Amino acid sequence: MVDANEALGRHFAHAGFRPGQRDAVEAAMAGRDVLVVMPTGAGKSLCYQLPALEDDRLAVVVSPLVSLMTDQVASLGGSAELINAQRDAAQNRDALDRALRGQVKLLYVAPERFAVAGFTERLAAASVGLFVVDEAHCISQWGHDFRPDYMRLADVAKSVGARSILAATATATPQVAIDIARRLGLEDPVRIITGFERPNLSYDVVPARSDEARRRATLALLGDRDSWPAIVYAGTRRRTDETAAWLERELGVIVPPYHAGMEREPRAEAQQLFMSGDAPLVVATNAFGMGVDKPNVRTVLHVAVPSSLEAYYQEAGRAGRDGLPSRCVLLDDKRDKRLHVYFINRLADDEAKRPRWREYRDIWGYVESDGCRRKTILSHFGDRTRPHATGRCCDVCDGPLELGLTARPAVAGAAGDSVDAAILAVVEAASPSVGRTRCVEILRGGRSKVVAKYGYHDLPGYGDFNDRSSAELLATVDELIAAGRLRSSGGRFPKLARAEAA
């Protein structure tokens, strides 16, 4: 059998393995099925790359992450190829032909590729050794990022005659780990679980009960250059674009947005700007980050509560991969709770709702807990390690972050301007259009059936003025009409519109 240490030095020039890597490598080299659960930055990719480089058979690596494929194929030189929908048909054909001729050691493939007629049959012509399922939590309906394309992978591995399967993930709870092994049909797998503790990371939850409070907290957290490079997770595409725009204005630096609604080239440019350091911050949805290896991220800030604790841990884990002190901050806005409930209730299948309700309870249990954040995360993943932060632990253990908000001016300007702008924003964004009373209901955070039906709770300004009376806000609406900034359609059910749109 190949000496793992010697192979490590020869291929990667590393002096030694990180925790768990050697066991995983030796198991894969011996033809065993392997389940690898390691935190972000712990070196999961080496667990399958090294055995693949030492094997005379082809290793197939299934990954949903184009950025990960691209980075890893580039780092492996001529030893690897990739196939995905972002390459043209000729490039994909050439990559498969090279793999079938034995000219590469690893072939990276997107999971949806196996739905293409004839692809699995062609791949079966190769001598496949290791079949790797990266981001393996995607196969579990109890995982936070379930993808139906993963459900066929166990059959694919058999069809191509794979010698063994290695499943890798950073975010598997004990239940999800069991589900991965079952759905992939792993036979007596070697389980490598190295723990979920990241001692150099601090975890803080900061209350932010309005748009203005969220903006002020964001500026306070990111205004210091020591907090850069930083990733800001904004939840929705619209909030991503808006947050990137005003942060760029306020901080005077390049702050690109990144989300799946953008064209491929602007997305790639945003990633390149951040990775190169030309942009010290990026604002993104959960479309950004998986497989992107930037070791010196000092801050990961969530300005919206994610849908699960697994998603939060994975995204927060992109901070401090170089081992230096870094912080993970989540802004607590209760309006996100209503949004989570709304999307869960849109699911028609009660069986599909069950894991989503579990995720809802777990993430809000974390946000609203009065116990150690670090301990809550470790317990969630079944890690009984005693929490051991090398610096700051969390807001519960060490006290709230000192943000100095009282010394900062409100971003939105004077109170009157803020109300006027919020009314105008609701009128412009609402679809169907709203009248005076409904506009006020939205600003005060109303929960009527109409608000839920048309998604008005996702409009800018929703609930921002729940401390104002309806009469006060109605008077402000009427002042805007009288001033010619709003117009009313008249009739039995009058609707509001911006005067400029008349």
Side-chain angles (χ1 to χ4, degrees):
M1 183 174 177
V2 175
D3 180 87
N5 278 323
E6 186 276 331
L8 177 68
R10 179 159 35 90
H11 289 291
F12 295 99
H14 295 338
F17 289 102
R18 295 181 185 179
Q21 287 181 326
R22 183 188 180 97
D23 290 339
V25 166
E26 291 183 341
M29 284 180 170
R32 298 281 304 278
D33 286 348
V34 188
L35 174 60
V36 177
V37 182
M38 292 181 177
T40 300
K44 291 186 296 298
S45 59
L46 185 138
C47 295
Y48 56 81
Q49 287 177 349
L50 185 55
L53 292 172
E54 285 295 307
D55 197 352
D56 58 1
R57 288 159 293 198
L58 177 69
V60 177
V61 183
V62 182
S63 172
L65 313 172
V66 173
S67 57
L68 174 73
M69 291 185 188
T70 304
D71 290 349
Q72 293 197 4
V73 169
S75 69
L76 291 166
S79 298
E81 264 292 1
L82 65 95
I83 295 176
N84 62 51
Q86 293 194 11
R87 306 182 90 201
D88 63 41
Q91 289 175 307
N92 285 332
R93 280 196 303 272
D94 182 62
L96 181 57
D97 288 342
R98 291 191 65 212
L100 295 176
R101 290 195 298 265
Q103 294 176 331
V104 296
K105 293 285 191 177
L106 297 97
L107 179 66
Y108 285 77
V109 183
E112 61 272 12
R113 180 62 46 172
F114 296 105
V116 176
F119 179 77
T120 302
E121 289 75 12
R122 285 210 66 197
L123 189 58
S127 176
V128 177
L130 191 60
F131 190 90
V132 180
V133 181
D134 202 7
E135 305 297 334
H137 58 272
C138 295
I139 201 171
S140 173
Q141 287 182 302
W142 291 99
H144 70 279
D145 194 21
F146 171 66
R147 303 193 183 201
D149 284 320
Y150 268 64
M151 297 295 284
R152 64 171 61 92
L153 295 183
D155 290 336
V156 169
K158 291 178 182 177
S159 296
V160 301
R163 180 189 184 200
S164 62
I165 298 174
L166 185 149
T169 179
T171 52
T173 63
Q175 181 179 23
V176 170
I178 292 170
D179 210 20
I180 291 171
R182 180 178 64 84
R183 289 181 181 275
L184 284 176
L186 302 186
E187 296 183 6
D188 188 25
V190 176
R191 298 172 184 266
I192 311 295
I193 301 176
T194 60
F196 295 83
E197 176 64 288
R198 297 284 303 280
N200 62 311
L201 302 187
S202 60
Y203 299 95
D204 289 278
V205 174
V206 175
R209 306 300 165 81
S210 68
D211 288 343
E212 184 171 326
R214 183 169 55 242
R215 286 190 291 266
R216 294 178 66 194
T218 299
L219 282 179
L221 289 160
L222 301 177
D224 185 346
R225 290 175 182 268
D226 289 342
S227 66
W228 304 346
I231 302 173
V232 181
Y233 285 104
T236 64
R237 297 176 184 182
R238 184 180 69 191
R239 184 179 286 179
T240 294
D241 289 331
E242 292 173 350
T243 303
W246 69 258
L247 269 177
E248 189 165 279
R249 290 195 304 269
E250 293 290 333
L251 299 178
V253 296
I254 299 172
V255 184
Y258 185 106
H259 57 72
M262 298 166 60
E263 295 294 327
R264 185 192 311 173
E265 289 186 7
R267 269 206 324 272
E269 181 183 9
Q271 180 173 324
Q272 191 278 329
L273 285 169
F274 182 65
M275 297 297 288
S276 68
D278 291 333
L281 300 94
V282 63
V283 182
T285 62
N286 59 7
F288 180 83
M290 290 199 296
V292 175
D293 184 8
K294 187 173 177 67
N296 65 333
V297 173
R298 297 278 73 89
T299 303
V300 172
L301 171 63
H302 283 76
V303 298
V305 178
S307 60
S308 72
L309 191 51
E310 292 97 320
Y312 178 67
Y313 176 80
Q314 186 173 58
E315 290 161 7
R318 285 156 201 154
R321 295 178 67 163
D322 56 6
L324 297 179
S326 305
R327 60 183 181 177
C328 311
V329 184
L330 188 155
L331 302 187
D332 172 16
D333 184 343
K334 299 304 182 194
R335 291 173 297 174
D336 291 334
K337 233 180 188 182
R338 294 191 289 268
L339 194 58
H340 290 177
V341 171
Y342 170 73
F343 283 115
I344 292 172
N345 283 331
R346 286 182 64 183
L347 296 171
D349 184 2
D350 287 341
E351 190 64 24
K353 289 180 181 180
R354 286 178 57 210
R356 304 291 84 84
W357 280 120
R358 190 270 300 169
E359 292 172 347
Y360 172 85
R361 291 191 297 270
D362 289 341
I363 187 61
W364 285 102
Y366 172 82
V367 171
E368 298 173 345
S369 172
D370 57 2
C372 173
R373 309 283 181 199
R374 186 179 302 275
K375 185 176 181 179
T376 300
I377 288 172
L378 295 177
S379 297
H380 178 74
F381 289 104
D383 187 341
R384 298 183 180 181
T385 303
R386 183 176 180 179
H388 56 286
T390 53
R392 179 178 174 84
C393 178
C394 67
D395 57 296
V396 176
C397 296
D398 300 312
L401 286 173
E402 294 293 334
L403 300 183
L405 293 178
T406 55
R408 292 181 177 270
V411 175
D417 293 339
S418 179
V419 177
D420 291 359
I423 292 171
L424 293 170
V426 167
V427 169
E428 191 167 49
S431 179
S433 300
V434 295
R436 295 166 64 250
T437 303
R438 190 73 67 200
C439 178
V440 168
E441 181 189 13
I442 292 166
L443 293 172
R444 298 188 72 241
R447 303 182 186 181
S448 68
K449 291 182 179 179
V450 172
V451 168
K453 179 179 180 180
Y454 295 111
Y456 290 146
H457 45 55
D458 200 30
L459 292 177
Y462 175 81
D464 282 1
F465 299 93
N466 57 8
D467 58 339
R468 308 286 181 93
S469 69
S470 296
E472 179 184 358
L473 292 172
L474 282 169
T476 306
V477 172
D478 291 339
E479 288 171 6
L480 291 172
I481 294 172
R485 299 177 68 186
L486 282 179
R487 66 181 179 87
S488 177
S489 64
R492 185 178 178 186
F493 301 107
K495 304 298 182 184
L496 297 174
R498 293 285 293 267
E500 296 85 352

